[in-house]
Amino acid sequence: MKKYIISIGVDISNNDVRTNPKINELVNREVKERLSKLGIKACISNITGDDIVITSFVPEDLIEENNRIIFEILNKYAEGFDDLNGISKDKDKAGEGLSYAVAESISEYGDAVIVSFDTYGGESFVNDMALFVREIGEKFGYDVGCSVSNEPVEIPGIGYTGSESDDPVVIITVNELKEISKISGLIYGGLLSFDKLYFVKNGEGVDILPPGVIYTMSAFLNGNIIDLYEGIKKRVKF
């Protein structure tokens, strides 16, 4: 049976700058506990500004259940409901909601790079950045999932999220561990061509001169997370 990497990005914060570490801890713990009972490895992979991204390594037949449980947990702990309320069973009524990306797992361990963006003022150019990352992954033959869409996106088990969702997430699945270094370096170097874009550690707030965009990059390895910021920083010495 095929397995997939699924990333769900959402703002459940009560402000536009950063997340609540206590809420993140509660969400992460319950996601791990509940989904592990189904044989799904899942956790918070990225914390970017006021957004969190929950990433799961999911068998094809459990995608709907994975999404439903995550949505339930997010509603349980959310301090802000704008993104959650953007979800609709009716495609035409879907508003700004969750960012949803799916990519087929190449590795038996579900190894992937997850890139998550956050805007302060909904800067429209963020989609160009996410699509650029998608293009890098596709150019080098990886399986790629990207939340950017020109129309509402169906999230199995939940409903539809609107096309105007402005904090995209991109998944790039890899076959071997050594490919993590290659693809993350390509992404970092390529994104340097964009103005008003800042690479930050997981958990940093939107502490920039607006308008602007921040992004985080994580390795999802068999359900474990490595924030790639420090590794890239040491490699390129910035």
Side-chain angles (χ1 to χ4, degrees), residues 117-134:
F117 298 84
D118 185 34
T119 62
Y120 178 75
E123 289 79 4
S124 59
F125 50 80
V126 70
N127 283 348
D128 294 332
M129 299 167 178
L131 292 172
F132 181 76
V133 173
R134 183 182 74 178

Side-chain angles (χ1 to χ4, degrees), residues 180-199:
I180 295 287
S181 176
K182 173 184 175 181
I183 194 65
S184 60
L186 287 167
I187 291 168
Y188 171 74
L191 288 177
L192 288 174
S193 63
F194 288 90
D195 292 330
K196 302 175 183 177
L197 176 63
Y198 305 87
F199 182 34

